[in-house]
Amino acid sequence: MAVVLPGLLVPDVLAAGPSPDPDLSIENTHRAGPFHVRPFIRLKDVGYDDNVRFDSPDRDGDTTATAGAGLRSVMLWEDRGGLHLSQEFDYVAFGENSDLNHWNGALRARGIFLLKRVALSLEDRFDSRRERPNTEIDRRLRLENNVIAASARTLGTGRLAIEAAARHEAIDYSSDAPGSEFEIRRLRRDVNAFRLAADVRILPKTTLTIEGDAERIDFIDDAEGRDSRTVSFIPGLRFDPSASVQGFFRLGVKSLEARDRPADDVDATVGEAALSLRLGGRARVKGTFSRDLVFSTLQENLYYISSVWSASYEHFLTRRLQGEIRYGRGLNDYPNEVSRGGPAPFQGSREDRFTRYGLQIRYRINDQIALVVAGSRLVRDSTDDFFDRTRNLYTFGSTYEF
């Protein structure tokens, strides 16, 4: 995996002023030859999971821990741009269920070339991890995701900014678990997409965002005629970090056309939001929302509509110590009736409702070390009682950045 841009290695003039792109920032990095680097080690999710095998109605608890390390590095070219490289590897271990032990990895390379009024970007990103890929799938599948993306965006301090981007994404799944071949076959796919977006600053701290996206989805095994096309138009607003209300929200329409399954064509409302509001100097409330079409593993349904929202309250007890409580709800809505055999068969409309609770305490010892203690609870209530589940997770974690 590599990204190559023209140019010679010259003194870091970009380091002298604000970075024109977050991936070119060298804040809190260390010089290592031509690179500015920041390595880190991480110990996370050390604790107890009372339902490690979510695919079974019988709950099986176990201790678990994840240890990882990574490196972020940046090489700058005078005022021409630079090269961003990052990688992270994690090892997930379980106390008794050793067959669930696995590695996760993420690699990313992005080259940025700055012209007078335009920034050109070429990126290659690869992720390999074993986990539930979405709230429908209860098995831990191995997901390998490879994305190659190119973009061009305007530079300047005016009210209008425009970006055009194209990407190719290969999505592959694998598993040794019996019965997973059906889930895998219905999810392996390639995605080719083109996006055109515009940002218009309408107030000093408020920006209007407009995004149009067209995708072509080609499934590796299309015996069921799942190949699709989607077109979406999503306007929204983004608020400056210095504003009293921070974050963004976007809401629009996505049209899906299933070329060989016209009965599954749909126009759906989609969007996402992440907003926070300061309450005095020590607290803030936060809210998130997302609604999208997600490809399904069920033969009767090409997709389901996923709607998720959450609300949280965060309080800073001291400058270094903070606590947060969270509550969230979610719904997976399947448009077509489903049927399932077995000792307790089911046939009818399926809806999966989720309730999430969370508590987190975070203490930052210094600029390099942070400690996190957290507890969470997930409850899934399905119209098909076979899929009702509950999971409690209690964890401790720490991150050290050099």
Side-chain angles (χ1 to χ4, degrees):
M1 178 179 66
V3 175
V4 180
L5 288 179
L8 300 174
L9 181 63
V10 291
D12 299 335
V13 175
L14 281 173
S19 173
D21 189 286
D23 281 338
L24 295 180
S25 173
I26 59 173
E27 184 179 3
N28 297 322
T29 60
H30 308 279
R31 192 65 183 263
F35 288 94
H36 299 264
V37 301
R38 187 167 197 184
F40 66 86
I41 56 176
R42 180 178 295 153
L43 185 65
K44 60 183 179 181
D45 296 339
V46 180
Y48 183 76
D49 184 341
D50 73 352
N51 195 355
V52 296
R53 299 184 185 275
F54 212 68
D55 56 329
S56 172
D58 300 322
R59 295 166 67 178
D60 183 9
D62 201 353
T63 56
T64 181
T66 300
L71 176 70
R72 176 184 180 272
S73 61
V74 180
M75 181 172 65
L76 300 177
W77 289 295
E78 198 179 28
D79 58 351
R80 294 177 178 269
L83 178 65
H84 172 101
L85 299 171
S86 61
Q87 62 181 15
E88 179 179 354
F89 296 98
D90 293 332
Y91 185 72
V92 184
F94 292 84
E96 298 180 359
N97 296 268
S98 58
D99 60 303
L100 297 179
N101 295 352
H102 61 274
W103 286 93
N104 294 328
L107 302 171
R108 181 169 177 255
R110 181 172 178 234
I112 303 166
F113 190 49
L114 302 176
L115 303 176
K116 186 175 182 181
R117 298 182 181 275
V118 178
L120 303 178
S121 169
L122 181 62
E123 178 179 0
D124 190 353
R125 184 173 68 249
F126 177 78
D127 293 279
S128 177
R129 60 189 63 253
R130 184 183 177 192
E131 190 48 82
R132 299 176 60 208
N134 58 48
T135 54
E136 180 192 63
I137 301 174
D138 294 339
R139 293 182 176 91
R140 285 182 167 91
L141 304 179
R142 168 66 62 179
L143 166 62
E144 292 187 350
N145 183 264
N146 190 28
V147 179
I148 299 175
S151 68
R153 65 178 177 87
T154 59
L155 297 173
T157 58
R159 293 180 175 271
L160 176 65
I162 299 175
E163 180 177 11
R167 82 175 192 277
H168 171 78
E169 183 174 5
I171 303 172
D172 192 23
Y173 294 87
S174 61
S175 174
D176 296 329
S180 296
E181 62 271 14
F182 297 104
E183 297 170 333
I184 291 170
R185 186 188 69 195
R186 295 185 179 124
L187 290 179
R188 284 175 170 166
R189 61 194 186 270
D190 290 335
V191 180
N192 292 288
F194 178 77
R195 181 173 67 93
L196 185 62
D199 292 349
V200 183
R201 184 160 50 85
I202 55 178
L203 293 172
K205 296 183 179 182
T206 304
T207 300
L208 171 67
T209 65
I210 303 172
E211 179 178 318
D213 197 303
E215 294 183 338
R216 174 173 174 169
I217 303 101
D218 297 306
F219 286 81
I220 305 304
D221 182 356
D222 192 36
E224 298 175 358
R226 298 169 68 86
D227 288 354
S228 308
R229 294 186 178 91
T230 66
V231 177
S232 60
F233 175 75
I234 308 176
L237 293 175
R238 186 176 67 246
F239 304 101
D240 191 88
S242 63
S244 56
V245 176
Q246 306 168 18
F248 69 93
F249 73 85
R250 309 187 308 144
L251 191 66
V253 177
K254 175 182 284 188
S255 298
L256 182 145
E257 176 190 349
R259 299 197 293 267
D260 300 320
R261 300 170 60 163
D264 288 324
D265 292 355
V266 66
D267 295 328
T269 301
V270 298
E272 59 179 337
L275 298 170
S276 65
L277 172 66
R278 296 192 187 97
L279 299 178
R282 289 185 173 269
R284 61 181 175 180
V285 292
K286 299 186 292 185
T288 65
F289 169 79
S290 68
R291 178 181 168 88
D292 202 0
L293 301 177
V294 182
F295 285 109
S296 172
T297 63
L298 302 182
Q299 184 177 5
E300 304 93 338
N301 285 270
L302 173 62
Y303 61 87
Y304 62 91
I305 299 176
S306 170
S307 302
V308 181
W309 66 266
S310 70
S312 62
Y313 173 77
E314 184 179 29
H315 194 88
F316 291 82
L317 303 172
T318 68
R319 187 172 63 87
R320 297 185 181 274
L321 179 64
Q322 67 188 81
E324 182 177 351
I325 56 174
R326 297 185 300 275
Y327 175 78
R329 300 294 298 270
L331 171 66
N332 290 352
D333 186 10
Y334 295 83
N336 302 325
E337 287 193 353
V338 302
S339 60
R340 179 183 56 79
F346 173 84
Q347 182 170 1
S349 299
R350 179 177 166 183
E351 289 184 348
D352 295 349
R353 297 185 180 274
F354 302 86
T355 305
R356 294 178 172 86
Y357 309 86
L359 173 65
Q360 177 179 286
I361 299 175
R362 180 182 179 89
Y363 181 70
R364 178 165 287 280
I365 299 176
N366 51 44
D367 291 339
Q368 294 176 303
I369 305 176
L371 305 176
V372 178
V373 178
S376 63
R377 176 177 174 83
L378 169 64
V379 179
R380 182 173 69 191
D381 182 15
S382 175
T383 52
D384 183 352
D385 294 339
F386 177 82
F387 292 101
D388 290 351
R389 298 286 190 275
T390 301
R391 182 193 189 196
N392 298 299
L393 180 64
Y394 314 96
T395 62
F396 164 84
S398 177
T399 298
Y400 177 68
E401 297 179 336
F402 295 91

